[in-house]
Amino acid sequence: MDSRVDPDGGDGHSSPRDVFLRLVNGVCEGPYENLADLYAEQTHVTHPFHPLNPPPLLSRSELHEHFTAPPPFARTLNRKPVNIIIHDTADPEVIVAEFAYQGHVEETGEAFTVPCVFVLRIRDGLIVESRDYIDHIASARAWGQLESLLTALRPSSEVDR
């Protein structure tokens, strides 16, 4: 997938809006092995609200591993991005996108909504920076991992009791 191809015959690069829509739809529909192609070779992706404070993803290869790694959860999420609002900014490379992943857990039928706000810098049709503000509690609940997240957040002295 070449995210830099402009089907409208523009400057040869997809707009930030188009790149974002490819990303969130690809997260829901796949193919996952192509999602990293939306990012620059060197990038900076953070999840500032993640309660476990994971390190940033800094390269296309790290993102490829992130997107293609099998989830350690025994659940299948059928989801789609909904309520998408994309805000243009004074900087033509930067957009702010509000949306939610909404769907249900295939194995249980449980419905879920995971609100998100992404702040993306897209240069020459590729994501060079992204700050992904995701409701990680809602995400952990959807994946059936809320208890393990809470356990990871407890001080080790509490866990050992």
Side-chain angles (χ1 to χ4, degrees), residues 1 3 23 31-41 43 59-68 126-127:
M1 167 166 83
S3 64
L23 174 64
Y32 303 110
E33 57 275 358
N34 293 340
L35 286 175
D37 294 341
L38 295 170
Y39 293 83
E41 199 59 50
T43 190
S59 69
R60 185 180 291 156
S61 64
E62 287 180 8
L63 283 153
H64 185 267
E65 288 178 34
H66 170 75
F67 287 126
T68 59
L126 296 171
I127 302 167

Short mmCIF file of all heavy atoms in Angstrom, two decimals, residues 1 3 23 31-41 43 59-68 126-127:
data_model
loop_
_atom_site.label_atom_id
_atom_site.label_comp_id
_atom_site.label_asym_id
_atom_site.label_seq_id
_atom_site.Cartn_x
_atom_site.Cartn_y
_atom_site.Cartn_z
N MET A 1 0.85 -1.17 0.00
CA MET A 1 0.00 0.00 0.00
C MET A 1 0.90 1.22 0.00
O MET A 1 1.70 1.40 0.89
CB MET A 1 -0.88 -0.03 1.25
CG MET A 1 -1.60 1.26 1.52
SD MET A 1 -2.91 1.08 2.72
CE MET A 1 -2.03 1.18 4.25
N SER A 3 0.83 4.93 0.61
CA SER A 3 -0.01 5.99 1.15
C SER A 3 0.28 7.33 0.50
O SER A 3 -0.40 8.30 0.74
CB SER A 3 0.18 6.09 2.66
OG SER A 3 1.50 6.46 2.94
N LEU A 23 -5.54 4.99 8.34
CA LEU A 23 -5.02 4.40 9.57
C LEU A 23 -6.15 3.81 10.41
O LEU A 23 -6.11 2.63 10.76
CB LEU A 23 -4.26 5.45 10.38
CG LEU A 23 -3.79 5.01 11.76
CD1 LEU A 23 -2.77 3.89 11.66
CD2 LEU A 23 -3.23 6.20 12.54
N PRO A 31 -5.53 -4.71 5.96
CA PRO A 31 -4.54 -5.69 6.41
C PRO A 31 -3.51 -5.03 7.32
O PRO A 31 -2.97 -3.97 7.01
CB PRO A 31 -3.91 -6.20 5.12
CG PRO A 31 -4.09 -5.08 4.13
CD PRO A 31 -5.34 -4.36 4.56
N TYR A 32 -3.25 -5.66 8.44
CA TYR A 32 -2.37 -5.10 9.46
C TYR A 32 -0.93 -4.98 9.01
O TYR A 32 -0.21 -4.08 9.45
CB TYR A 32 -2.47 -5.91 10.75
CG TYR A 32 -3.90 -5.99 11.25
CD1 TYR A 32 -4.61 -7.16 11.20
CD2 TYR A 32 -4.53 -4.84 11.72
CE1 TYR A 32 -5.93 -7.21 11.62
CE2 TYR A 32 -5.85 -4.88 12.15
CZ TYR A 32 -6.55 -6.07 12.10
OH TYR A 32 -7.85 -6.11 12.49
N GLU A 33 -0.50 -5.88 8.12
CA GLU A 33 0.90 -5.84 7.68
C GLU A 33 1.20 -4.59 6.85
O GLU A 33 2.35 -4.24 6.65
CB GLU A 33 1.29 -7.11 6.92
CG GLU A 33 0.45 -7.43 5.72
CD GLU A 33 -0.82 -8.22 6.05
OE1 GLU A 33 -1.05 -8.57 7.23
OE2 GLU A 33 -1.59 -8.47 5.12
N ASN A 34 0.16 -3.89 6.38
CA ASN A 34 0.39 -2.67 5.58
C ASN A 34 0.28 -1.38 6.39
O ASN A 34 0.60 -0.32 5.89
CB ASN A 34 -0.63 -2.61 4.43
CG ASN A 34 -0.41 -3.70 3.41
OD1 ASN A 34 0.67 -4.27 3.33
ND2 ASN A 34 -1.43 -4.00 2.65
N LEU A 35 -0.18 -1.45 7.62
CA LEU A 35 -0.41 -0.22 8.39
C LEU A 35 0.86 0.59 8.63
O LEU A 35 0.83 1.81 8.60
CB LEU A 35 -1.08 -0.55 9.73
CG LEU A 35 -2.56 -0.92 9.63
CD1 LEU A 35 -3.07 -1.35 10.99
CD2 LEU A 35 -3.37 0.23 9.07
N ALA A 36 1.98 -0.08 8.85
CA ALA A 36 3.23 0.65 9.10
C ALA A 36 3.66 1.47 7.89
O ALA A 36 4.39 2.45 8.04
CB ALA A 36 4.34 -0.33 9.50
N ASP A 37 3.16 1.12 6.70
CA ASP A 37 3.50 1.88 5.50
C ASP A 37 2.93 3.29 5.52
O ASP A 37 3.32 4.12 4.71
CB ASP A 37 3.00 1.16 4.24
CG ASP A 37 3.72 -0.16 4.01
OD1 ASP A 37 4.82 -0.35 4.57
OD2 ASP A 37 3.18 -1.00 3.27
N LEU A 38 2.02 3.57 6.44
CA LEU A 38 1.46 4.92 6.57
C LEU A 38 2.41 5.85 7.31
O LEU A 38 2.17 7.05 7.36
CB LEU A 38 0.12 4.86 7.31
CG LEU A 38 -1.00 4.11 6.59
CD1 LEU A 38 -2.19 3.93 7.51
CD2 LEU A 38 -1.39 4.85 5.31
N TYR A 39 3.48 5.30 7.88
CA TYR A 39 4.42 6.06 8.71
C TYR A 39 5.73 6.28 7.99
O TYR A 39 6.17 5.45 7.19
CB TYR A 39 4.69 5.31 10.02
CG TYR A 39 3.47 5.22 10.91
CD1 TYR A 39 2.51 4.25 10.70
CD2 TYR A 39 3.28 6.12 11.95
CE1 TYR A 39 1.38 4.17 11.51
CE2 TYR A 39 2.16 6.05 12.75
CZ TYR A 39 1.21 5.08 12.53
OH TYR A 39 0.09 5.01 13.31
N ALA A 40 6.41 7.38 8.34
CA ALA A 40 7.75 7.64 7.83
C ALA A 40 8.72 6.59 8.40
O ALA A 40 8.42 5.95 9.41
CB ALA A 40 8.20 9.04 8.23
N GLU A 41 9.84 6.44 7.74
CA GLU A 41 10.85 5.48 8.21
C GLU A 41 11.25 5.77 9.66
O GLU A 41 11.38 4.87 10.47
CB GLU A 41 12.07 5.53 7.28
CG GLU A 41 12.96 4.34 7.37
CD GLU A 41 12.27 3.01 7.04
OE1 GLU A 41 11.60 2.90 6.01
OE2 GLU A 41 12.43 2.07 7.86
N THR A 43 9.89 7.89 12.87
CA THR A 43 8.68 8.53 13.33
C THR A 43 8.70 8.62 14.85
O THR A 43 9.67 8.19 15.47
CB THR A 43 7.44 7.76 12.80
OG1 THR A 43 6.25 8.49 13.05
CG2 THR A 43 7.34 6.37 13.41
N SER A 59 10.14 3.94 14.78
CA SER A 59 10.47 3.59 13.40
C SER A 59 9.33 2.81 12.75
O SER A 59 8.47 2.24 13.43
CB SER A 59 11.75 2.75 13.35
OG SER A 59 11.52 1.47 13.91
N ARG A 60 9.36 2.77 11.44
CA ARG A 60 8.37 2.01 10.70
C ARG A 60 8.45 0.52 11.08
O ARG A 60 7.43 -0.13 11.21
CB ARG A 60 8.60 2.19 9.20
CG ARG A 60 7.53 1.52 8.36
CD ARG A 60 7.76 1.70 6.88
NE ARG A 60 7.56 3.10 6.51
CZ ARG A 60 8.11 3.65 5.44
NH1 ARG A 60 8.91 2.95 4.66
NH2 ARG A 60 7.87 4.92 5.15
N SER A 61 9.66 0.02 11.30
CA SER A 61 9.78 -1.41 11.66
C SER A 61 9.17 -1.69 13.03
O SER A 61 8.53 -2.72 13.24
CB SER A 61 11.22 -1.89 11.57
OG SER A 61 12.03 -1.23 12.50
N GLU A 62 9.36 -0.77 14.00
CA GLU A 62 8.72 -0.95 15.31
C GLU A 62 7.20 -0.92 15.17
O GLU A 62 6.50 -1.69 15.83
CB GLU A 62 9.16 0.14 16.29
CG GLU A 62 10.57 -0.02 16.79
CD GLU A 62 10.98 1.08 17.76
OE1 GLU A 62 10.13 1.90 18.17
OE2 GLU A 62 12.17 1.12 18.11
N LEU A 63 6.69 -0.04 14.32
CA LEU A 63 5.24 0.02 14.11
C LEU A 63 4.73 -1.23 13.41
O LEU A 63 3.65 -1.72 13.71
CB LEU A 63 4.88 1.28 13.33
CG LEU A 63 4.92 2.51 14.23
CD1 LEU A 63 5.21 3.76 13.46
CD2 LEU A 63 3.63 2.63 15.01
N HIS A 64 5.53 -1.76 12.48
CA HIS A 64 5.13 -3.01 11.82
C HIS A 64 4.98 -4.12 12.85
O HIS A 64 3.99 -4.86 12.85
CB HIS A 64 6.14 -3.40 10.74
CG HIS A 64 5.72 -4.60 9.96
ND1 HIS A 64 6.10 -5.87 10.31
CD2 HIS A 64 4.92 -4.71 8.88
CE1 HIS A 64 5.56 -6.74 9.46
NE2 HIS A 64 4.84 -6.05 8.58
N GLU A 65 5.94 -4.24 13.76
CA GLU A 65 5.85 -5.23 14.84
C GLU A 65 4.63 -4.97 15.72
O GLU A 65 3.92 -5.91 16.11
CB GLU A 65 7.11 -5.21 15.70
CG GLU A 65 8.33 -5.79 15.02
CD GLU A 65 9.56 -5.70 15.90
OE1 GLU A 65 9.43 -5.82 17.14
OE2 GLU A 65 10.66 -5.52 15.35
N HIS A 66 4.38 -3.71 16.04
CA HIS A 66 3.24 -3.32 16.87
C HIS A 66 1.92 -3.75 16.23
O HIS A 66 1.05 -4.33 16.89
CB HIS A 66 3.27 -1.81 17.09
CG HIS A 66 2.05 -1.23 17.73
ND1 HIS A 66 1.78 -1.36 19.08
CD2 HIS A 66 1.02 -0.52 17.20
CE1 HIS A 66 0.63 -0.76 19.35
NE2 HIS A 66 0.16 -0.24 18.23
N PHE A 67 1.78 -3.48 14.93
CA PHE A 67 0.52 -3.77 14.26
C PHE A 67 0.32 -5.25 13.93
O PHE A 67 -0.81 -5.72 13.83
CB PHE A 67 0.39 -2.95 12.97
CG PHE A 67 0.11 -1.49 13.20
CD1 PHE A 67 0.94 -0.52 12.64
CD2 PHE A 67 -0.96 -1.08 13.96
CE1 PHE A 67 0.68 0.83 12.84
CE2 PHE A 67 -1.23 0.26 14.18
CZ PHE A 67 -0.40 1.22 13.61
N THR A 68 1.41 -5.99 13.73
CA THR A 68 1.27 -7.37 13.30
C THR A 68 1.44 -8.40 14.42
O THR A 68 1.19 -9.58 14.21
CB THR A 68 2.26 -7.70 12.16
OG1 THR A 68 3.60 -7.48 12.62
CG2 THR A 68 1.97 -6.86 10.93
N LEU A 126 3.10 10.87 4.83
CA LEU A 126 3.49 9.87 5.83
C LEU A 126 3.42 10.46 7.23
O LEU A 126 3.76 11.63 7.44
CB LEU A 126 4.91 9.37 5.56
CG LEU A 126 5.12 8.63 4.24
CD1 LEU A 126 6.60 8.40 4.00
CD2 LEU A 126 4.34 7.33 4.22
N ILE A 127 3.02 9.66 8.19
CA ILE A 127 2.94 10.10 9.58
C ILE A 127 4.36 10.18 10.13
O ILE A 127 5.07 9.17 10.17
CB ILE A 127 2.09 9.13 10.42
CG1 ILE A 127 0.68 9.02 9.84
CG2 ILE A 127 2.04 9.59 11.89
CD1 ILE A 127 -0.14 7.86 10.40
#
